[in-house]
Amino acid sequence: MKSYYITTPIYYVNDKPHIGHAYTTILADTLARFQRLVEQESFFLTGLDEHGLKVQQAAEKNGMSAKDHCDKMAPAFLELWDKLNIQYSDFIRTTEDRHVKIVQNVLNEVHENGDIYQDEYEGWYSVAEERFITDKELDSGLFREAKKIKERNYFFKMSKYQDALIEKIEKNENFIQPTTRKNEVLGFLKQDLSDLCISRPKSRLEWGIEIPFDKDYVTYVWFDALINYISAPKYSEDDNHFKQFWPADVHLIGKDILTTHSVYWSTMLMSLNIPLPKTIFAHGWWLTDEKKMSKSLGNVVSPLTLVDKFGVDAVRYYLMSEMVLGSDATFSMESFIKRYNSDLANDLGNLVSRVSTLINRNFDSTIPLSKDSNNDLSNEISNINIKDKLDNFQMDRLIQNIMDFVRSINGYMEKNQPWKLVKEDKKLAGNVLYNAAESLRIATVMLSPIMPEKCKEILNALGATSSSLDWGNLKSGEKIPESNPIFPRIIE
RNA sequence: GGCGGAGUAGCUCAGUUGGUUAGAGCAGCGGAAUCAUAAUCCGCGUGUCGGGAGUUCAAAUCUCUCCUCCGCUACCA
């Protein structure tokens, strides 16, 4: 049986991890956890992109080898993923032997297919930066010592696949998402595609994967990096294993690397004659509103600093609920606190408190008996279609649906008033509390991919042992602990 | 310049193939309740659906036009 295979980009080690990296990775983690919850096994790949000029230069600057530089940078990412509770299935680094070998396999294969040839590359070269620069960069005037030079290199016949790629994109509605990005790529492909220069002479750049059929060259870093998506599941090394994962269900990317994925990567796969990923999804960016931020809480610069202050799950919840996938979102302290207080503290956390306190005081800390599995709440749960929202990448809507249900539980409490009812008809009050607690259990299970730790706490507070989404899995007679606020209100 | 997207309540956004008095959350106002983290529940919106014109019995939803904002226009990673 094939696993749901989801990837993040592999992050370039030139940079320390920031909110962008964290967001994509949390999103992938959340989607992977949701898949495990509702449907199937999932395999979640992330990792690091470690070759290329900028890494080499950064290493030289610090007086260390490129490899040492990478080894020094890697822990920063691993520690952050740990802190953010990222449950990746595999973490790949492009300097690992397993990757290098497969990149060379791919190069050989593409070469043998006749899709690689040698030619002269002519472009503007910046002596100061030691690299070729784009026309745009030249126009910017930031690169003074620019001169036009020629260099012999290897090229990948990307243009050969242009028409086939256009057809694939047009035919497969879900291939490039959201639609606006799909249109961008199609617009891009209206112009003639040129071939891609995929080598760099070692005389200029040493830090890369050697071209297997010419030891004077290393591989262009993008060509190397993209292959991680198939090198991790062992393409060309273990066919059965590979087929359990490929094609990927979704490559999650930021909108800045849309072209490399939808054009470079797709044509590479076409040359290898293996299927394209089912979906490439480009999400938006987090914009920050510095003014608002500094007003509320001093000099908070990054949402990441909120993790220490308010907990990883609150931040995960905020990031997942606040961004409409595909659009940009604005981060502000103000919106974080609003979201936290109204959703987590007032609606959800407070509900846990009121239910558990009522059970503690009136039912000897024991989950009361359930009388009817058919009630307003159990019926309302069926309105939440997790799979539909996941298939359409509507994380914000999914959360909204779940939180609407949580609000309904509060409404149910208000309508049935178990604190009064308990004095008149204890059995009936018990039933009301059971229904509320069981609804809360299911809502919490639904939220657990987003807030794994906090949801465990809530389930524990409810004496719940089952993580089933079906009604009736909260056991009557189960003891519950004294209640403690799960999400203490943030008071400014 | 070319191609594409967006402009709906104070804020963030829903509004499927045109059809009852345009919706949700948050914020605001009023009330109820007091089990609960002063949390909860109920009620309250005279929004020119960016402007204008057109098609239609009927348009936020289709057509045209204008205005504003944004994205893409590759071989840096």
Side-chain angles (χ1 to χ4, degrees), chain A residues 63 160 180 191 221 223 233 301 378 452:
Chain A
K160 176 176 163 186
T180 160
Q191 57 181 316
V221 69
F223 195 91
V301 200
S378 65

Side-chain angles (χ1 to χ4, degrees), chain A residues 14 55-65 69 72-73:
Chain A
N14 199 37
V55 171
Q56 182 173 295
Q57 287 174 338
E60 277 166 10
K61 204 174 167 187
N62 296 326
M64 55 175 82
S65 74
H69 171 83
K72 202 189 95 190
M73 293 298 289

Side-chain angles (χ1 to χ4, degrees), chain A residues 177-232:
Chain A
Q177 294 191 65
T179 311
T180 160
R181 299 299 164 204
K182 171 186 167 181
N183 290 338
E184 256 177 47
V185 176
L186 285 172
F188 174 83
L189 287 170
K190 272 182 190 161
Q191 57 181 316
D192 280 339
L193 204 55
S194 25
D195 292 338
L196 184 67
C197 176
I198 56 163
S199 68
R200 299 290 183 266
K202 279 189 184 169
S203 55
R204 206 181 96 219
L205 172 65
E206 281 190 324
W207 186 234
I209 295 175
E210 188 176 286
I211 302 271
F213 42 84
D214 192 334
K215 62 177 174 38
D216 292 335
Y217 290 86
V218 296
T219 311
Y220 169 51
V221 69
W222 263 115
F223 195 91
D224 155 7
L226 289 163
I227 291 170
N228 92 87
Y229 299 131
I230 56 173
S231 71

Side-chain angles (χ1 to χ4, degrees), chain A residues 330-346:
Chain A
T330 307
F331 167 81
S332 77
M333 224 23 240
E334 195 187 347
S335 70
F336 175 82
I337 292 174
K338 253 183 199 168
R339 179 68 75 165
Y340 177 98
N341 277 344
S342 70
D343 286 12
L344 298 180
N346 298 352

Side-chain angles (χ1 to χ4, degrees), chain A residues 31-186:
Chain A
L31 289 169
R33 287 175 189 260
F34 264 120
Q35 287 297 331
R36 290 183 199 118
L37 179 68
V38 299
E39 203 171 23
Q40 55 185 327
E41 281 299 304
S42 63
F43 186 81
F44 162 26
L45 176 70
T46 187
L48 299 176
D49 180 8
E50 306 191 315
H51 291 123
L53 184 72
K54 284 190 178 171
V55 171
Q56 182 173 295
Q57 287 174 338
E60 277 166 10
K61 204 174 167 187
N62 296 326
M64 55 175 82
S65 74
K67 178 68 169 124
D68 285 348
H69 171 83
C70 295
D71 289 344
K72 202 189 95 190
M73 293 298 289
F77 286 86
L78 287 165
E79 279 159 24
L80 181 60
W81 299 162
D82 194 45
K83 188 172 171 182
L84 296 178
N85 212 344
I86 304 299
Q87 221 170 50
Y88 49 82
S89 314
D90 193 1
F91 185 88
I92 192 162
R93 297 175 54 182
T94 55
T95 47
E96 290 174 284
D97 288 343
R98 59 166 171 158
H99 176 74
V100 171
K101 198 172 167 197
I102 290 173
V103 168
Q104 292 182 326
N105 288 348
V106 167
L107 281 162
N108 278 327
E109 204 178 324
V110 175
H111 193 220
E112 281 155 25
N113 289 348
D115 283 347
I116 290 177
Y117 64 94
Q118 238 190 341
D119 200 0
E120 294 242 303
Y121 176 80
E122 184 177 13
W124 288 96
Y125 185 81
S126 160
V127 179
E129 282 280 310
E130 300 173 39
R131 67 170 171 93
F132 281 91
I133 57 174
T134 62
D135 290 349
K136 226 192 231 171
E137 284 174 325
L138 180 71
D139 291 342
S140 75
L142 294 171
F143 302 85
R144 279 186 217 156
E145 295 172 80
K147 53 183 178 183
K148 208 154 200 180
I149 65 169
K150 277 186 185 175
E151 189 174 276
R152 195 148 188 84
N153 268 306
Y154 288 94
F155 286 79
F156 165 56
K157 285 191 188 169
M158 194 158 71
S159 59
K160 176 176 163 186
Y161 299 98
Q162 178 163 12
D163 293 340
L165 177 59
I166 291 172
E167 196 186 328
K168 292 254 187 200
I169 295 172
E170 282 174 343
K171 260 192 186 166
N172 301 306
E173 203 49 48
N174 295 326
F175 179 37
I176 296 174
Q177 294 191 65
T179 311
T180 160
R181 299 299 164 204
K182 171 186 167 181
N183 290 338
E184 256 177 47
V185 176
L186 285 172

Side-chain angles (χ1 to χ4, degrees), chain A residues 446-464:
Chain A
M446 288 178 171
L447 289 169
S448 60
I450 301 160
M451 303 185 284
E453 296 306 320
K454 284 292 180 183
C455 287
K456 262 185 214 161
E457 282 181 42
I458 297 175
L459 292 176
N460 185 49
L462 297 171

